Amino acid sequence: WLPTMDRCSLGTMVWNFSKLEFRHDRYFELSAQELYRPNRLRSLAPRNFQNSMIAFSKRKHWNAKLFEAFCRGIPRLLDNHDPKFPKTDTEVLFSYTCRDGSEVPADAFRIGSLTVITKGFQDLRAHGPAVEECMNSMLSYVRRSVERSPAMMREAGDACNFLRQLGFYAAATGLDLSGMLSNINLEEMCKNAPERAVGQMQASLRKAGLE
């Protein structure tokens, strides 16, 4: 019956279980198998990835195929989207269909969502080439979002908070950030961020081995 659920229901149900701190390993495992099914993976919207990562990381439920699939699915949406626009291109991801038959494109990724996903990878201690490629894709999107996204898609200090979480992830997993951040203007990324957020970002990068 899981294949009959729409993409929002699938991600929201595991999120509900995690929110209630209710452990249901079999349900999570079956959900993971459905989420990494190729046709399903291509249908997932940014919010579905975020809710699923929150749920699986909070319950510490590991499924290697699921996270490898997420490391393909997330960059597919990020790399094919211009962060100038708040909605995902319908040629990349199909729209939601409302009860009245109208269609609404899915919201594009926000920087805050990528911070949440990065924390999920850290909590699961997920690492390796696939995760590193996903981190590079997320970092590139954050940089482009800083340059191009309208104010309504941003939150104060969001890019700075992403960099802080990336530092935490690198410190926990050994990811080498020196090359990843070589072309990143940290000052520009943290422009208008609260002073406290900037300090936390700098501390996390030092913890990851960057001066």
Side-chain angles (χ1 to χ4, degrees):
W1 46 272
L2 283 173
T4 68
M5 298 174 69
D6 64 34
R7 56 186 171 184
C8 286
S9 298
L10 191 61
T12 301
M13 282 300 295
V14 288
W15 183 88
N16 287 337
F17 277 120
S18 70
K19 183 69 173 178
L20 294 170
E21 299 185 353
F22 186 89
R23 192 163 196 90
H24 197 322
D25 290 338
R26 177 167 171 74
Y27 183 82
F28 269 67
E29 188 60 24
L30 291 174
S31 295
Q33 293 172 22
E34 175 60 23
L35 284 163
Y36 69 64
R37 189 167 58 85
N39 285 346
R40 175 70 78 172
L41 181 67
R42 286 193 293 271
S43 79
L44 297 180
R47 186 177 298 277
N48 309 140
F49 283 113
Q50 175 184 306
N51 286 344
S52 298
M53 280 298 297
I54 290 172
F56 279 86
S57 62
K58 188 173 182 179
R59 300 314 304 159
K60 299 295 191 291
H61 188 101
W62 176 257
N63 183 296
K65 289 184 177 181
L66 174 65
F67 300 114
E68 288 173 3
F70 276 16
C71 286
R72 298 191 305 272
I74 293 170
R76 186 182 77 85
L77 297 183
L78 295 174
D79 298 346
N80 290 294
H81 182 70
D82 182 347
K84 173 182 175 182
F85 302 104
K87 297 291 185 179
T88 302
D89 191 332
T90 54
E91 292 186 3
V92 177
L93 182 69
F94 66 82
S95 301
Y96 291 102
T97 302
C98 302
R99 289 185 178 182
D100 62 4
S102 62
E103 294 189 355
V104 179
D107 287 340
F109 273 110
R110 304 301 195 259
I111 294 175
S113 296
L114 301 182
T115 303
V116 169
I117 290 171
T118 302
K119 184 178 187 304
F121 279 124
Q122 179 189 340
D123 291 343
L124 289 161
R125 295 296 189 267
H127 59 89
V131 182
E132 184 171 345
E133 288 182 16
C134 187
M135 292 292 171
N136 272 297
S137 176
M138 290 194 287
L139 178 61
S140 174
Y141 184 87
V142 171
R143 178 182 56 78
R144 288 183 286 119
S145 185
V146 168
E147 295 172 350
R148 295 180 60 78
S149 290
M152 55 86 66
M153 291 181 65
R154 300 288 310 282
E155 296 177 2
D158 53 2
C160 200
N161 290 335
F162 173 81
L163 290 170
R164 179 193 63 187
Q165 187 57 56
L166 184 62
F168 288 149
Y169 172 85
T173 63
L175 176 68
D176 183 7
L177 290 182
S178 57
M180 289 179 64
L181 297 180
S182 60
N183 295 319
I184 298 295
N185 185 329
L186 297 181
E187 184 176 347
E188 183 64 25
M189 293 278 274
C190 292
K191 186 177 181 179
N192 298 323
E195 186 175 339
R196 181 180 179 184
V198 176
Q200 291 175 338
M201 180 274 292
Q202 293 170 335
S204 77
L205 294 185
R206 285 195 297 270
K207 190 175 181 180
L210 295 180
E211 296 298 333

